[in-house]
Amino acid sequence: MHIYWFTGRSIMDLCATTQTSLASGLCKRGYDLTFVNSDPEKSHEKWPWHHQSIPISTFPGRKSSSLGQNMKHWLREHKIQEGSFALVDWRIAHILIPELQKQNTPWILIDRSPPADKGILSLLQWPSWKRSWKKVGMNASGHGCVVSSKHRDFVCKKTNVDPSQITILPAGVNLERFKPQKRFDTLTMIYHGQLDQHRGVLALPMLLQKARMSGIDVQLIVIGEGDCVDALQAMAATNQNMTFHPTLEQEELAKIISQCHIGLLPMPERKMWTISSPLKRSEYAASGLLMYGIDHDGHRFSGEEKFDWMKLVQQSEFHDEGVKWLQNLEPNQMGQLALQSRAFAEEHLAWTHSIDALEATILTVTNQDS
């Protein structure tokens, strides 16, 4: 079977690990796959799939709609081969699904996150998100994929799509790449990902400062890009216990994470984070890290279940409770907790679980349409 993945995301994006992991898994299982997005020609040469580059507008607020329209024109001119299947991101699904149906091509809507931008961009994105999911609800064989049960509940509430039409594909982790290594001599906390203010990242240097003022020998590593980079870079430049790195390749990122002790989850209790499945959470666990963060559904692994290697607190208590928790950690205890964290990842967080679910959904929708 040939699978076409229509996406508005670049594989060079910080958040593209999910797509590349799922796509690589499908290719390993014998599927022929083509990524259709706006990446430059030849930018996918190292990957095991084909690539079709589609032009996109650079005007803010018009990127997704222009990409969707250009993809639709490409579809009309280059009718995809009979017996193919399409995976379509929600940003462009409402534009592409009608054309795919005309060509009798079965499809699945992929929703890794509802609109997360702030301000006017979010207002422009929500109508597209709703229109795309309504395409699922209006079709007897329509199907979509989300990252968590809370995400599925949110979609059903907002669009009236039946839960049976939605598959959960949580973020997984490459257990061979992310694994425990020799730790830094000094207790080290780490955050990696988008460094945007609405993710709560500016609370991390204060946690470091308060911990050190309480006599805890601890350091902080921050990795990524976003609207807080300048501020975090400036703080790191004047604080020998804080290190800043720009976005890193996965191999280098995994190496640094594996040497740390505690992974941080500062994202606040907002809708966009409470229904998410943060990739960093799985990478922390696979690397045998303990975790500390804000208590909400997006950060918990399994409902109300609690783990000794994971401490989640109310946002208002983030600094004070964090200091208390760090003060009570003992080296021998941390070694045991690190083993438990890694063991949980091995049993529950490998990408194979999500690839299994995606493949089963593809085969189900194909059989419904045949």
Side-chain angles (χ1 to χ4, degrees):
M1 179 190 296
H2 197 115
I3 298 174
Y4 290 82
W5 195 325
F6 295 91
T7 175
R9 177 158 283 160
S10 166
I11 62 162
M12 295 172 276
D13 189 292
L14 268 174
C15 304
T17 303
T18 293
Q19 284 182 307
T20 56
S21 298
L22 291 172
S24 296
L26 291 173
C27 289
K28 286 181 180 178
R29 297 186 181 192
Y31 293 93
D32 198 11
L33 190 142
T34 297
F35 255 109
V36 185
N37 70 355
S38 62
D39 284 343
E41 296 288 354
K42 299 185 178 180
S43 60
H44 290 228
E45 286 184 336
K46 72 173 184 178
W47 298 99
W49 52 70
H50 312 288
H51 175 236
Q52 175 61 48
S53 181
I54 303 291
I56 186 174
S57 169
T58 58
F59 188 77
R62 286 284 304 159
K63 291 182 179 180
S64 294
S65 60
S66 73
L67 181 63
Q69 291 296 337
N70 291 339
M71 285 179 174
K72 183 172 72 173
H73 294 320
W74 180 83
L75 266 175
R76 288 176 175 175
E77 293 175 4
H78 306 81
K79 293 186 182 296
I80 57 182
Q81 56 189 277
E82 188 176 347
S84 296
F85 196 95
L87 303 176
V88 193
D89 285 7
W90 69 256
R91 291 168 180 80
I92 48 181
H94 63 287
I95 299 173
L96 290 186
I97 287 174
E99 185 61 32
L100 290 167
Q101 291 174 332
K102 287 180 183 177
Q103 296 190 25
N104 296 315
T105 301
W107 50 269
I108 294 173
L109 182 148
I110 303 293
D111 182 355
R112 300 307 298 173
S113 170
D117 288 317
K118 301 194 75 177
I120 187 66
L121 283 180
S122 179
L123 293 176
L124 292 172
Q125 291 171 341
W126 278 110
S128 296
W129 180 84
K130 288 184 178 180
R131 286 200 299 271
S132 291
W133 271 107
K134 284 181 178 179
K135 296 291 183 185
V136 175
M138 292 165 56
N139 193 305
S141 61
H143 209 93
C145 293
V146 297
V147 301
S148 69
S149 59
K150 292 293 183 180
H151 189 178
R152 180 178 58 190
D153 294 345
F154 178 78
V155 171
C156 294
K157 179 179 178 180
K158 294 293 184 180
T159 66
N160 294 320
V161 173
D162 192 283
S164 65
Q165 293 179 280
I166 302 176
T167 296
I168 297 173
L169 300 179
V173 65
N174 184 330
L175 293 171
E176 292 302 314
R177 176 177 293 155
F178 292 88
K179 55 187 176 183
Q181 302 286 350
K182 187 179 186 306
R183 311 290 180 186
F184 292 118
D185 292 335
T186 301
L187 181 65
T188 304
M189 306 181 294
I190 187 169
Y191 171 90
H192 82 87
Q194 281 295 125
L195 300 177
D196 294 329
Q197 186 171 354
H198 67 277
R199 291 174 181 254
V201 296
L202 291 180
L204 304 182
M206 181 60 71
L207 175 62
L208 172 67
Q209 180 181 346
K210 289 198 171 189
R212 294 197 65 83
M213 288 176 63
S214 298
I216 304 169
D217 187 15
V218 62
Q219 60 188 17
L220 170 67
I221 297 175
V222 179
I223 303 172
E225 60 184 28
D227 58 33
C228 290
V229 162
D230 290 344
L232 292 167
Q233 236 175 341
M235 293 178 199
T238 58
N239 187 340
Q240 64 179 358
N241 299 301
M242 178 177 171
T243 303
F244 169 83
H245 294 283
T247 304
L248 300 174
E249 293 290 335
Q250 285 282 293
E251 289 75 13
E252 184 62 22
L253 173 66
K255 180 180 177 182
I256 292 177
I257 292 177
S258 70
Q259 299 174 84
C260 298
H261 302 83
I262 299 167
L264 299 170
L265 298 167
M267 289 83 81
E269 190 173 3
R270 295 181 182 173
K271 182 58 67 178
M272 68 183 80
W273 310 128
T274 59
I275 65 176
S276 67
S277 175
L279 183 60
K280 65 176 64 62
R281 186 185 61 172
S282 298
E283 292 169 348
Y284 292 158
S287 302
L289 269 62
L290 283 64
M291 284 179 238
Y292 179 72
I294 305 299
D295 188 17
H296 57 68
D297 287 323
H299 287 161
R300 301 185 198 112
F301 275 108
S302 179
E304 297 301 318
E305 186 176 0
K306 296 185 183 300
F307 304 97
D308 292 337
W309 41 268
M310 188 177 210
K311 176 71 172 178
L312 299 176
V313 302
Q314 295 300 308
Q315 185 173 353
S316 61
E317 302 173 339
F318 183 74
H319 293 117
D320 292 342
E321 288 299 316
V323 170
K324 291 178 185 177
W325 182 66
L326 291 171
Q327 287 174 326
N328 291 325
L329 287 177
E330 298 180 2
N332 292 339
Q333 175 196 27
M334 290 181 64
Q336 283 299 115
L337 295 177
L339 292 175
Q340 294 173 24
S341 179
R342 171 65 186 189
F344 180 85
E346 290 177 350
E347 184 174 356
H348 300 285
L349 303 180
W351 274 117
T352 52
H353 300 301
S354 293
I355 296 166
D356 287 343
L358 179 56
E359 182 180 29
T361 304
I362 289 171
L363 296 176
T364 297
V365 173
T366 301
N367 291 333
Q368 287 177 339
D369 278 24
S370 61

